[in-house]
Amino acid sequence: MSSKHFSFFFLIVILVTGCAKSVYSSDGESIYKSGKNLAGKNLFDREKSRITLFKSCQGCHGPSGKRVSDCNIQWRYLSDSAKIAVPYTEELFFRFLDEDLKSDGSKAQTGVHWQMSDAEKSALIDYLKSLK
């Protein structure tokens, strides 16, 4: 195979693998990693969000949920009263997603808003519980 053909072949491989649709095991994983549910619906609310560079949780928080040191979103951290004065419950996390309010009721000011059903929020929490 000539170097010209090899280069063309290599380019095709990169394009195909780069454009391949990711496969997620749950709605929660899909939401966390892509900002979309398994059906492909975009849950990121562009109209309400100030930060539009990242369109998924993983974009800011990283693969393990703790990239931002003062904003770890692993469930075991969020629900730990030794780490957070008012630990998150599922209801408080729903409120955070809907109203951008921290567990103590103060404004979170994340600049990121979502449009998720209760089932999608629960799936996201389940995924956050799996992060290590």
Side-chain angles (χ1 to χ4, degrees), residues 7 9-10 23 34 37 40 60 71 75 81 89 108-109 111 116 120:
S7 296
F9 175 74
F10 188 69
V23 177
S34 73
N37 63 18
C60 287
C71 193
W75 191 256
S81 61
T89 62
Q109 300 180 0
M116 289 187 221
E120 290 162 337

Side-chain angles (χ1 to χ4, degrees), residues 2-40:
S2 72
S3 66
K4 184 177 178 181
H5 287 108
F6 180 75
S7 296
F8 180 72
F9 175 74
F10 188 69
L11 177 63
I12 295 299
V13 169
I14 289 173
L15 288 173
V16 168
T17 57
C19 296
K21 187 174 180 180
S22 296
V23 177
Y24 301 111
S25 63
S26 68
D27 246 356
E29 180 184 17
S30 182
I31 293 165
Y32 186 82
K33 292 182 176 179
S34 73
K36 298 176 182 179
N37 63 18
L38 285 174

Side-chain angles (χ1 to χ4, degrees), residues 54 57-62 64-73 77:
F54 300 108
C57 308
Q58 181 172 282
C60 287
H61 298 284
S64 68
K66 58 183 180 177
R67 178 185 292 157
V68 182
S69 61
D70 64 340
C71 193
N72 182 332
I73 61 169
Y77 179 87

Side-chain angles (χ1 to χ4, degrees), residues 113-126:
H113 293 274
W114 303 95
Q115 296 176 336
M116 289 187 221
S117 68
D118 286 351
E120 290 162 337
K121 293 173 204 168
S122 291
L124 178 59
I125 289 171
D126 288 344

Side-chain angles (χ1 to χ4, degrees), residues 77-103:
Y77 179 87
L78 292 174
S79 61
D80 185 343
S81 61
K83 294 186 170 69
I84 295 183
V86 179
Y88 281 87
T89 62
E90 291 192 15
E91 293 79 19
L92 291 175
F93 194 74
F94 276 32
R95 184 183 72 178
F96 167 77
L97 292 170
D98 292 338
E99 302 172 33
D100 201 24
L101 295 175
K102 296 179 186 178
S103 59

